[in-house]
Amino acid sequence: MTFNSLTFLLFFAAVVLLHRLPLPWTVKKFNLWVASCIFYAAWNPPFVVLLWIGTLVHYGAGRGIAAARTPAGRRAWLLCSLVVGLGLLGFFKYAQFLLDNLTVLLAALHVAYHPGRLDILLPVGVSFFTFQALSYTIDVYRGKLPACRKLLDLALYLSFFPVLASGPILRAGHFLPQCAQPRQAGARELGWGLTLFTIGLFEKVFLADGILGPFADAVFHAAPVASWRDAWLGAFAYSAQLFFDFAGYSASAIGVALCLGFAVPDNFRCPYAAIGFSDFWRRWHISLSSWLRDYLYFPLGGNRRGAGRTYLNLMLTMLLGGLWHGAAWRFVAWGGLHGLYLAAERPVRERFGDRPWAARWPVRLPAAFLTFCLVCVAWVFFRAPDFETAFAFVGKMLLGSANPSTIGGLRALTAATVIAAMFVGQWLLRDTPQEVLWRRLPWWLRSTVLAVLLGAVILAPGDERAFLYFQF
Amino acid sequence: MWALAALLVLLPFGAFEWVARAHGFRPALTDTPDLWAYQRMQLRPHDARAVVVFGSSKAQLGINLDEFERACGTRPIQLAIDGTSAHAFLEELARDEAFTGLALVETGFLFDNNERHERRAQEYAASYSSFRGSVARRFDFRLHWFIGQALAIVSPDLSARRITEAFSAGHWPRPSYLRMSPDRGRFGDYQMVDSALLQRLTVNEFTTGGITLNEEQLAARLARVEAAVTRIQARGGRVVIIRMPPAVAARDDSDAARWEAVKAHTSALCLSAADDPVLASFKCPDGNHLDYRDAARFTRALVAVLRTRLAERGDTRLQ
């Protein structure tokens, strides 16, 4: 059940109505938990059991950590949570990948090993709820958060349907306090929630699926004969598609949560207007990058153990971040490329970051565009089906190609217009929160914009596609 | 604010619907893997009187479901798909031990070697298993189905692509000569179009698009079809392989040769329209498909022939 389906609209309307009935808060939370289980079961009913097992294990681990009298006891409970969380993730997401690599490794050692395919179905959102669960037990272990007493609250935190399939990745410290008191959206929250939901749908259905996706697909399918211009336009289109797809999902998720009275943090903040890669990661998939920072980069030592260790930590964090996105070396390469970008940026920023001229727009705008172009180069490893295609494609982008351009016409012009508008729009609004901008508009203009967005969603061309980040 | 937004959406859409209907557009469904899967699910298990149609668009446009039902009391499940071969679905049906009915297999593309057709068949077959397993998807399909039957503006004739194509060609969008009913029956009104032009396009498609199986491949395909036929018939089902009214000459010559090979290698009942004076009298205006008016008469005649030929084999399911 995706946000861009009619079933979800009915489901969502029913949940909001139920949530607004004058019922005790515990009953409302229970209803939300049941709704979340139904939402998840809509993909594959047996996988709901995974959610329940995860909830019980992490609840027990949290309580165990809080009750343990010795550091060893606390560590044992944390280990239990980590083993179960990462074990499930590893089994469902990485077992085939590990087996394939083991086979290759053994073949290199002249050991013939030919296992059959495991055919393990990946549960939707497993990477997301695993990270939510781990952040909870780690925070309890670190003493940053009291162990959750109410199983229902933790169950709702781990299965809250707006964010269950593709995030944003919630933090227990942010969500659990919201479960303590009755919450119901007021007119303002409901209005802004529905607006965000509509904006998200527009980004997903009209821009990502209707315009950019088919264009990017056409370019990548014709990759062997792509020209330099085609390759860049295709990479830009895919970058824009990915942004509108995922930012659209996040906006919808935040909007849906808001309609139920829950605040979910932003996941995107004009990432393609970032100046440099550290800035990019403060703006792109914020909930993941901050998770990796807090639970991986900092524990590794962050930047406090000398320059060499800092670069190593950066690279490790980004490589694992890449692997989180998918069980394939292409994703690791993508993470590694971002690690290299961050490492290369660091000395430049230290040397020139505080110069007065660096703050002027004639420097900042080209720097933002360069960042965008390099980010697009990295996305090629996300989109290309294999390394061969990815390297050939990147080669065409960076070294040029003698092939004549094969992509043209109205479709290319439309895609180019959307990409240009996205870049300019993000640049102009890079520091303005969406809601502030929205509230500045007169009410009649807001109505008109909403009507246009809704109309575009209804008439959107293209096929219905699942959200790209569901596969992660 | 939301009331005005709703008004701003509903008014233009209401006007669009009114104008569309005034210009002859009617609600119509798009033929999707989900619609196919939904129809596939309608096939009742262990029902000897169940009738299912496989094949290409020739069967989809040529067999009128209403007429078939009127003639013998059973409404066929239409599972033929535009531009696909029936063998993958026949094999799927053979694996379904609950099927004991009558399978009408139209031969269009059945003995072609076309990667695009294979891909489409695989897409539909894969869709069926996932559609069956997902309550949400089935529910979502029903909602789309309901809306598709209620509103002309969501019909494929008024999709953004069709509108763009029409304007690119310098005219307003026009209702298509092809229409589909909710149970996937299709109707071609060839009085609305230039049949000669369509015939030229058909000839072009058959001379450039079709890839004929070589002898070895044909033997392998025939063996696969026969294995499926044997399995279905062994549990009381029946398979009839039907060759529809002749297509354009470019296609018909190769069809005739392959038809002889089919007859020689299958235990299924083989029925060629060319062998029956009534069925052979029908002409395809576009060189490949029947007009909907002819399809109704063709279906009545087909049921009569089928009934006789099945009765000769002691099969009374269409009586």
Side-chain angles (χ1 to χ4, degrees):
Chain A
M1 195 192 317
T2 54
F3 287 169
N4 55 334
S5 66
L6 291 172
T7 309
F8 179 78
L9 295 183
L10 286 185
F11 169 83
F12 175 44
V15 172
V16 170
L17 281 177
L18 191 63
H19 195 65
R20 297 186 78 83
L21 292 177
L23 296 169
W25 178 231
T26 305
V27 176
K28 285 187 177 190
K29 283 192 290 186
F30 181 75
N31 289 341
L32 281 181
W33 176 73
V34 171
S36 298
C37 291
I38 293 170
F39 177 81
Y40 198 66
W43 273 286
N44 199 328
F47 282 149
V48 179
V49 178
L50 262 187
L51 267 182
W52 296 343
I53 292 172
T55 303
L56 289 173
V57 168
H58 296 295
Y59 176 77
R63 302 289 298 156
I65 291 168
R69 295 187 178 170
T70 61
R74 290 162 55 79
R75 268 200 300 276
W77 280 111
L78 177 66
L79 197 65
C80 166
S81 160
L82 291 175
V83 166
V84 171
L86 294 176
L88 286 176
L89 184 63
F91 174 75
F92 283 105
K93 193 164 177 174
Y94 300 107
Q96 185 65 55
F97 176 67
L98 293 173
L99 193 64
D100 290 345
N101 284 287
L102 177 70
T103 310
V104 172
L105 187 69
L106 290 175
L109 298 170
H110 304 290
V111 178
Y113 176 55
H114 305 289
R117 281 202 68 78
L118 296 174
D119 286 330
I120 298 169
L121 209 58
L122 181 69
V124 170
V126 65
S127 313
F128 293 89
F129 64 70
T130 300
F131 270 30
Q132 281 191 191
L134 296 187
S135 75
Y136 162 71
T137 44
I138 294 171
D139 281 354
V140 173
Y141 176 79
R142 286 174 176 173
K144 286 186 175 176
L145 192 71
C148 182
R149 287 175 176 279
K150 294 179 179 170
L151 178 61
L152 180 59
D153 287 6
L154 193 76
L156 188 58
Y157 162 64
L158 291 179
S159 59
F160 189 47
F161 76 86
V163 300
L164 182 56
S166 278
I169 301 166
L170 298 176
R171 295 292 182 87
H174 184 258
F175 188 85
L176 290 177
Q178 297 187 60
C179 295
Q181 298 296 324
R183 300 184 75 82
Q184 186 164 297
R188 185 188 165 113
E189 285 89 3
L190 202 60
W192 178 235
L194 289 173
T195 303
L196 273 178
F197 183 67
T198 309
I199 292 172
L201 279 188
F202 170 77
E203 290 182 340
K204 161 69 183 165
V205 175
F206 189 78
L207 297 177
D209 289 357
I211 294 175
L212 297 159
F215 181 76
D217 287 351
V219 175
F220 276 87
H221 284 148
V225 295
S227 67
W228 175 82
R229 195 201 72 159
D230 294 345
W232 272 107
L233 204 50
F236 284 155
Y238 178 65
S239 307
Q241 180 200 357
L242 197 60
F243 167 74
F244 285 124
D245 188 283
F246 194 21
Y249 181 88
S250 294
S252 294
I254 295 167
V256 169
L258 203 56
C259 290
L260 297 166
F262 288 86
V264 169
D266 277 348
N267 217 16
F268 290 88
R269 213 172 288 141
C270 298
Y272 290 148
I275 300 167
F277 301 96
S278 48
D279 189 24
F280 175 78
W281 282 105
R282 280 192 291 270
R283 294 167 177 275
W284 176 275
H285 203 172
I286 300 165
S287 62
L288 174 69
S289 52
S290 60
W291 196 101
L292 291 172
R293 181 196 63 205
D294 295 346
Y295 300 104
L296 192 60
Y297 180 66
F298 286 166
L300 286 170
N303 60 0
R304 291 164 306 183
R305 295 190 183 174
R309 186 62 190 266
T310 302
Y311 289 122
L312 181 68
N313 292 342
L314 268 179
M315 187 53 84
L316 271 175
T317 305
M318 294 317 293
L319 287 173
L320 287 170
L323 193 60
W324 176 88
H325 283 84
W329 288 109
R330 289 182 296 110
F331 294 111
V332 180
W334 169 81
L337 206 48
H338 270 281
L340 282 177
Y341 289 163
L342 286 165
E345 178 196 283
R346 205 171 171 81
V348 176
R349 196 175 279 279
E350 280 171 3
R351 190 172 167 83
F352 302 113
D354 54 356
R355 302 287 171 88
W357 51 263
R360 295 194 184 127
W361 77 264
V363 175
R364 286 158 60 88
L365 184 58
F369 188 65
L370 180 66
T371 307
F372 175 55
C373 290
L374 290 172
V375 165
C376 289
V377 170
W379 284 137
V380 171
F381 289 89
F382 241 66
R383 175 61 182 79
D386 49 53
F387 272 118
E388 197 185 342
T389 313
F391 281 123
F393 203 87
V394 170
K396 283 174 182 176
M397 290 169 76
L398 301 181
L399 305 173
S401 161
N403 295 332
S405 180
T406 54
I407 311 282
L410 186 65
R411 211 162 50 149
L413 185 68
T414 313
T417 307
V418 172
I419 295 161
M422 175 194 73
F423 183 76
V424 173
Q426 293 203 5
W427 175 256
L428 294 175
L429 303 172
R430 69 191 300 276
D431 298 319
T432 313
Q434 264 183 326
E435 190 175 3
V436 172
L437 179 75
W438 183 252
R439 303 247 174 251
R440 275 187 207 153
L441 302 176
W443 71 271
W444 55 268
L445 187 56
R446 276 184 266 162
S447 297
T448 311
V449 171
L450 278 173
V452 170
L453 297 185
L454 284 170
V457 167
I458 295 166
L459 291 178
D463 310 325
E464 255 183 44
R465 301 174 185 217
F467 287 88
L468 293 176
Y469 258 67
F470 278 19
Q471 61 190 297
F472 307 135
Chain B
M1 181 181 80
W2 281 94
L4 179 62
L7 204 66
L8 287 174
V9 172
L10 290 176
L11 278 180
F13 276 94
F16 187 15
E17 177 73 18
W18 182 76
V19 171
R21 283 178 185 260
H23 284 81
F25 291 95
R26 292 284 171 268
L29 296 169
T30 311
D31 200 3
T32 61
D34 280 6
L35 181 56
W36 186 90
Y38 176 72
Q39 287 304 318
R40 172 68 182 83
M41 285 183 71
Q42 305 309 306
L43 195 54
R44 289 188 305 274
H46 306 291
D47 180 2
R49 287 194 62 83
V51 179
V52 60
V53 181
F54 291 111
S56 66
S57 53
K58 279 176 83 82
Q60 224 181 344
L61 275 93
I63 296 177
N64 183 307
L65 305 181
D66 293 330
E67 287 300 332
F68 199 104
E69 185 178 17
R70 221 166 280 148
C72 68
T74 302
R75 191 171 186 82
I77 306 290
Q78 180 55 274
L79 297 180
I81 303 166
D82 192 7
T84 60
S85 149
H87 70 275
F89 305 114
L90 189 63
E91 286 172 338
E92 190 272 320
L93 195 69
R95 287 191 295 274
D96 181 357
E97 293 294 334
F99 177 75
T100 54
L102 173 67
L104 304 180
V105 181
E106 183 267 321
T107 54
F109 301 129
L110 184 58
F111 300 103
D112 277 18
N113 183 20
N114 189 316
E115 202 181 310
R116 191 165 50 90
H117 295 170
E118 291 288 326
R119 250 200 328 268
R120 185 177 295 181
Q122 282 165 8
E123 183 195 350
Y124 274 71
S127 171
Y128 173 53
S129 59
S130 56
F131 184 82
R132 223 173 20 162
S134 169
V135 179
R137 194 163 151 196
R138 294 206 302 271
F139 186 71
D140 208 52
F141 162 76
R142 290 305 292 261
L143 290 174
H144 280 282
W145 201 55
F146 173 74
I147 293 171
Q149 290 178 77
L151 296 173
I153 56 170
V154 296
S155 79
D157 289 349
L158 287 169
S159 68
R161 187 172 62 84
R162 290 272 179 84
I163 292 173
T164 313
E165 279 172 3
F167 284 134
S168 304
H171 59 79
W172 288 90
R174 298 177 192 136
S176 169
Y177 67 99
L178 291 171
R179 193 164 53 81
M180 198 176 70
S181 63
D183 52 7
R184 298 190 70 258
R186 285 177 88 189
F187 305 87
D189 186 350
Y190 288 92
Q191 288 180 2
M192 289 172 70
V193 284
D194 179 355
S195 299
L197 172 69
L198 285 180
Q199 264 202 30
R200 284 199 297 277
L201 291 173
T202 306
V203 170
N204 185 47
E205 188 192 333
F206 284 146
T207 47
T208 59
I211 302 163
T212 313
L213 295 169
N214 62 34
E215 275 187 32
E216 196 182 330
Q217 290 169 327
L218 180 62
R221 178 71 59 83
L222 283 168
R224 281 175 65 179
V225 169
E226 180 51 19
V229 169
T230 308
R231 194 166 169 185
I232 292 170
Q233 298 198 146
R235 58 174 181 254
R238 174 72 69 187
V239 179
V240 180
I241 300 180
I242 298 176
R243 187 172 166 225
M244 296 290 280
V248 286
R251 175 76 181 184
D252 205 41
D253 295 342
S254 62
D255 271 1
R258 282 181 293 184
W259 180 248
E260 293 306 318
V262 175
K263 282 204 295 190
H265 286 89
T266 184
S267 55
L269 171 61
C270 293
L271 201 159
S272 171
D275 296 339
D276 182 272
V278 180
L279 297 180
S281 68
F282 289 94
K283 298 281 176 270
C284 302
D286 67 345
N288 199 26
H289 305 101
L290 292 174
D291 183 89
Y292 81 96
R293 287 159 279 249
D294 286 341
R297 291 189 292 115
F298 173 82
T299 305
R300 282 196 294 275
L302 177 71
V303 172
V305 174
L306 264 175
R307 191 178 280 148
T308 311
R309 297 286 300 276
L310 284 171
E312 285 167 10
R313 294 193 169 202
D315 192 328
T316 57
R317 69 186 80 211
L318 289 187
Q319 301 298 321

